[in-house]
């Protein structure tokens, strides 16, 4: 390939045909992904620069990528990244690739947090300064100036007699009514100003015969004012515990989409996952205070003093039943880690352990939410009910398959 002239167009068409011959389900899409990774271009840019030639380094990268894809390796491992909700996530062999279904799991958690934990301002969009905002403001000022001119004219008209009004015609009709309304308004404003002055006078400290404030009078006045004013409330920061973080996509999305309102503690048993999740956190500019990753088995590393303090326990645990593992697509079963996939005979081995931990980790009213194998959701929901959780629901995914179980811990537990 290196000795020939390869434009983006020629490479795209050749790669598409090559992958199609080897059974690729979406050969053109795969070819676009690989070319974007090799060139650093966005997909739209490929079609804007079809006649651009690839250099030797890009051709070498592309050749290696096509060979890997032809063997069935997932595109996300080859390109090194994928998009998850609002963030880009680095991917690497040994760590489970984020799925669209998991985006729905994040959505369920956000819906709960917005409704039950956070203030309305947490999810509100900030006002965006648009180019035409100044024009709108200028128009508003012009309208206000016009209103002032009109009011001045009305005041002048208010001094006219009825005969004058009749002579001038309809331009001043209603001026007398306006004058009366204006007089009433001015009277109300004067009364309000008098009341404010009286309040200010009462608020001044008591003075002695020399004009010096009597000791303690100003403190008493300040104390009275403080007692009357409601104490400011600190904004609520939601606490989320994620078990089995993988790339970190769940915790990072929660912290990113509700930044300043959500902190996450995330665990994983795989060192490669912790390293990759940390890399993704750093790329987003999030801090360890916002999302903390811990290498541990389930919740073993959670300090005892933090038990019962979390608002949410969320997980996308290994959930593929053992018998189903053998029928998974080649690019899943032969490339993605079994440790992150297999969930035992019914797919609920890890789920049962998480369900047991939930009442100890969550506060009263806290949310327990898990993504699971479609054939295990009814059993998982029943296990939640047997464990004493309330408001147990099964959420269906984009293909209308049962995918997520969510429930509320009403009676937290404490280990002796």
């Amino acid at each position: 390939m290196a000795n020939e002239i390869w434009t983006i167009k020629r490479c795209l068409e050749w790669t598409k045909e090559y992958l199609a011959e080897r059974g690729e389900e979406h050969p053109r899409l795969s070819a676009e992904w690989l070319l974007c990774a090799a060139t650093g271009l966005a997909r739209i840019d490929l079609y804007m620069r079809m006649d651009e030639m690839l250099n030797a380094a890009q051709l070498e990268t592309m050749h290696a990528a096509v060979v890997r894809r032809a063997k069935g390796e997932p595109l996300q491992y080859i390109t090194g990244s994928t998009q998850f909700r609002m963030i880009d996530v680095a991917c690497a062999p040994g760590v489970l690739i984020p799925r669209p279904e998991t985006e729905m799991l994040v959505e369920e958690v956000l819906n709960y947090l917005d409704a039950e934990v956070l203030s309305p301002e947490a999810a509100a969009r900030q006002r965006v300064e648009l180019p035409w905002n100044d024009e709108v403001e200028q128009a508003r000022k012009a309208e206000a100036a016009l209103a002032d001119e009109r009011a001045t004219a009305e005041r002048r008209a208010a001094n006219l007699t009825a005969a004058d009004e009749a002579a001038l015609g309809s331009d001043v009709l209603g001026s007398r009514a306006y004058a009366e309304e204006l007089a009433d308004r001015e009277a109300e404003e004067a009364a309000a100003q008098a009341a404010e002055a009286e309040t200010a006078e009462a608020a001044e400290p008591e003075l002695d015969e020399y004009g010096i404030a009597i000791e303690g009078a100003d403190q008493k006045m300040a104390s009275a004012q403080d007692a009357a004013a409601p104490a400011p409330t600190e904004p609520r920061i939601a606490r989320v515990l994620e078990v089995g973080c993988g790339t970190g996509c769940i915790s990072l999305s929660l912290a990113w989409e509700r930044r300043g309102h959500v902190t996450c503690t995330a665990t994983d048993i795989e060192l490669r996952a912790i390293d990759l999740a940390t890399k993704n956190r750093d790329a987003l500019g999030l801090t360890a205070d916002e999302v903390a990753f811990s290498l541990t088995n389930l919740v073993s590393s959670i300090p005892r003093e933090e038990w019962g303090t979390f608002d949410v326990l969320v997980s996308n645990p290994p959930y593929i039943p053992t018998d189903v593992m053998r029928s998974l697509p080649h690019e899943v079963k032969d490339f993605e880690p079994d440790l992150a996939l297999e969930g035992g005979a019914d797919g609920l081995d890890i789920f049962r352990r998480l369900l047991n931990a939930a009442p100890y980790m969550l506060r009263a009213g806290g949310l327990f939410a898990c993504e699971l194998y479609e054939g295990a959701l009814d059993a998982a929901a029943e296990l939640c009910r047997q464990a004493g959780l309330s408001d147990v629901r099964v959420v269906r995914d984009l293909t209308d398959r049962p995918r997520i179980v969510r429930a509320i811990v009403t009676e937290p537990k404490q280990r002796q």
Side-chain angles (χ1 to χ4, degrees):
M1 293 176 68
N3 296 325
E4 302 179 44
I5 297 176
W6 287 89
T7 63
I8 287 177
K9 180 179 180 180
R10 183 184 178 195
C11 192
L12 179 62
E13 294 300 325
W14 185 91
T15 303
K16 180 191 71 172
E17 294 175 7
Y18 181 84
L19 295 178
E21 291 172 357
R22 282 152 183 78
E24 173 70 42
E25 187 175 0
H26 304 288
R28 188 174 191 87
L29 180 61
S30 295
E32 290 172 347
W33 274 39
L34 296 178
L35 261 174
C36 288
T39 62
L41 298 174
R43 285 176 66 193
I44 186 64
D45 292 331
L46 295 179
Y47 291 91
M48 300 293 291
R49 301 162 71 169
M50 280 290 193
D51 294 330
E52 187 172 303
M53 291 176 54
L54 301 179
N55 60 40
Q58 291 170 336
L59 279 173
E60 184 178 351
T61 299
M62 190 65 183
H63 178 265
V66 171
V67 170
R68 291 171 65 183
R69 183 57 188 163
K71 293 179 179 178
E73 186 172 352
L75 283 165
Q76 294 89 340
Y77 287 161
I78 300 172
T79 63
S81 68
T82 192
Q83 189 169 26
F84 185 87
R85 290 181 65 88
M86 298 173 64
I87 62 176
D88 289 326
V89 178
C91 299
V95 182
L96 190 71
I97 298 169
R99 300 309 203 268
E101 294 84 359
T102 309
E103 295 187 3
M104 293 188 62
L105 180 61
V106 172
E107 189 71 19
E108 286 297 317
V109 173
L110 288 175
N111 288 341
Y112 166 81
L113 292 176
D114 290 344
E116 304 295 336
V117 181
L118 302 178
S119 63
E121 292 78 12
R125 294 181 177 179
Q126 298 295 323
R127 180 177 181 267
V128 178
E129 291 295 338
L130 298 174
W132 41 264
N133 279 345
D134 288 341
E135 296 179 15
V136 173
E137 182 65 15
Q138 292 299 326
R140 187 196 65 78
K141 290 180 179 179
E143 185 178 347
L146 181 61
D148 288 341
E149 293 176 3
R150 191 172 295 163
T152 301
E154 291 283 5
R155 287 192 183 94
R156 291 172 181 167
N159 294 322
L160 298 176
T161 65
D164 292 331
E165 285 182 3
L168 291 172
S170 60
D171 287 344
V172 294
L173 289 181
S175 59
R176 227 176 259 287
Y178 175 83
E180 294 173 0
E181 180 184 347
L182 182 63
D184 291 341
R185 191 180 307 163
E186 289 176 347
E188 291 175 1
E189 291 176 356
Q193 291 174 358
E196 290 178 4
E198 183 177 349
T199 302
E201 183 178 351
E204 291 183 2
E206 184 179 353
L207 304 179
D208 61 15
E209 58 183 315
Y210 302 104
I212 300 174
I214 297 175
E215 184 178 357
D218 52 348
Q219 290 89 340
K220 290 179 181 178
M221 177 186 66
S223 298
Q225 291 174 345
D226 291 342
T233 57
E234 290 294 326
R236 177 81 156 84
I237 302 296
R239 303 194 71 230
V240 175
L241 172 61
E242 181 192 1
V243 177
C245 65
T247 62
C249 60
I250 293 176
S251 288
L252 295 175
S253 289
L254 293 171
W256 180 259
E257 294 184 40
R258 297 294 183 274
R259 192 161 192 182
H261 300 278
V262 175
T263 62
C264 300
T265 298
T267 71
D268 205 290
I269 199 172
E270 171 60 60
L271 178 59
R272 286 176 293 182
I274 295 297
D275 289 343
L276 186 61
T278 302
K279 174 184 175 182
N280 283 324
R281 180 189 68 196
D282 295 345
L284 288 169
L286 294 169
T287 68
D289 289 335
E290 293 173 295
V291 183
F293 294 112
S294 176
L295 179 66
T296 190
N297 185 16
L298 300 182
V299 298
S300 300
S301 66
I302 305 303
R304 184 64 65 95
E305 60 269 21
E306 294 187 24
W307 290 14
T309 66
F310 293 99
D311 298 291
V312 175
L313 195 166
V314 60
S315 182
N316 175 22
Y319 62 65
I320 305 298
T322 303
D323 289 343
V324 178
M325 286 288 294
R326 290 190 288 271
S327 61
L328 291 177
H330 164 59
E331 68 177 65
V332 176
K333 69 180 179 182
D334 292 336
F335 289 95
E336 297 198 64
D338 287 354
L339 184 64
L341 292 169
E342 186 171 355
D346 61 357
L348 297 176
D349 281 3
I350 302 300
F351 173 79
R352 289 185 176 89
R353 297 172 66 183
L354 293 172
L355 178 58
N356 182 61
Y360 296 97
M361 296 295 112
L362 295 172
R363 61 166 176 80
L367 175 71
F368 175 56
C370 282
E371 178 184 332
L372 296 170
Y373 178 66
E374 61 188 83
L377 267 299
D378 288 341
E382 183 57 30
L383 288 172
C384 288
R385 296 185 188 96
Q386 293 175 5
L389 275 63
S390 65
D391 193 19
V392 180
R393 305 182 206 170
V394 172
V395 181
R396 307 181 81 85
D397 64 20
L398 297 174
T399 61
D400 201 34
R401 295 186 177 112
R403 184 60 60 191
I404 296 166
V405 64
R406 50 163 291 169
I408 300 297
V409 170
T410 51
E411 297 182 7
K413 297 180 181 179
Q414 294 183 351
R415 282 204 176 101
Q416 301 301 323

